[in-house]
């Protein structure tokens, strides 16, 4: 088994949160189908954001304002040395792939093509 954050994968905290205008719905237990429904809900404008928290990292998905129905992903990587924020706009099917990969494997390891927007985010 691979190790991340000094913990075995099955010990990593996992939480899927779906946001709408005035509510949020947290899911401690969720399946690949739940991720698919979350992405579909974004594309249909039923949800405002889906957020997947695995360990210390967070992957947020929102409908792209400029390129709808594409999805903008924002990855918050938290480490002792500091946090980084990466962003990428992808097709909804690719967003689902990234969410599934993070759910199954923990931290995303390949960040080629992602934009580092850490300096543009307010502290």
């Amino acid at each position: 088994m691979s190790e991340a954050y000094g913990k075995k994968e099955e010990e990593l905290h996992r939480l899927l949160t779906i946001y709408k205008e005035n509510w949020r719905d947290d899911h401690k237990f969720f399946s690949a189908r739940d991720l698919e429904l979350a992405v579909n809900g974004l594309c249909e404008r039923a949800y405002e954001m889906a957020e997947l928290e695995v360990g210390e990292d967070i992957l947020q998905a929102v409908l792209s304002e400029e390129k709808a129905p594409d999805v903008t992903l924002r990855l918050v990587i938290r480490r002792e040395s500091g946090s980084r924020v990466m962003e990428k706009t992808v097709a909804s099917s690719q967003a689902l792939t990234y969410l599934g990969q993070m759910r199954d494997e923990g931290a995303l390891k390949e960040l080629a093509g992602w934009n580092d927007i850490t300096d543009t985010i307010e502290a």
Side-chain angles (χ1 to χ4, degrees):
M1 293 205 170
S2 67
E3 300 260 340
Y5 318 110
K7 296 181 179 181
K8 293 180 182 176
E9 282 184 32
E10 64 269 8
E11 295 175 7
L12 287 177
H13 161 80
R14 285 180 169 76
L15 180 68
L16 174 64
T17 304
I18 307 298
Y19 293 88
K20 182 73 174 162
E21 186 175 336
N22 292 318
W23 59 263
R24 66 183 265 176
D25 195 8
D26 294 326
H27 302 270
K28 292 181 182 179
F29 304 100
F30 54 93
S31 66
R33 178 69 176 142
D34 294 317
L35 294 176
E36 182 180 347
L37 291 170
V39 171
N40 288 344
L42 288 174
C43 293
E44 295 169 0
R45 300 182 190 276
Y47 305 135
E48 292 181 358
M49 180 172 65
E51 180 177 88
L52 177 59
E53 186 176 330
V54 178
E56 296 294 320
D57 296 341
I58 298 172
L59 183 57
Q60 299 172 330
V62 296
L63 191 62
S64 174
E65 293 179 19
E66 298 85 29
K67 297 181 179 180
D70 287 353
V71 175
T72 298
L73 299 174
R74 183 172 284 177
L75 176 63
V76 180
I77 305 167
R78 296 182 190 155
R79 299 292 182 270
E80 287 182 20
S81 58
S83 296
R84 288 176 56 201
V85 181
M86 309 295 287
E87 189 172 79
K88 185 174 191 173
T89 299
V90 298
S92 60
S93 60
Q94 186 66 37
L96 182 56
T97 300
Y98 280 116
L99 287 163
Q101 179 183 349
M102 187 158 163
R103 180 200 69 174
D104 295 340
E105 301 171 16
L108 296 178
K109 292 160 185 60
E110 179 57 48
L111 297 176
W114 288 73
N115 298 314
D116 189 337
I117 61 166
T118 305
D119 294 337
T120 65
I121 304 298
E122 294 181 21

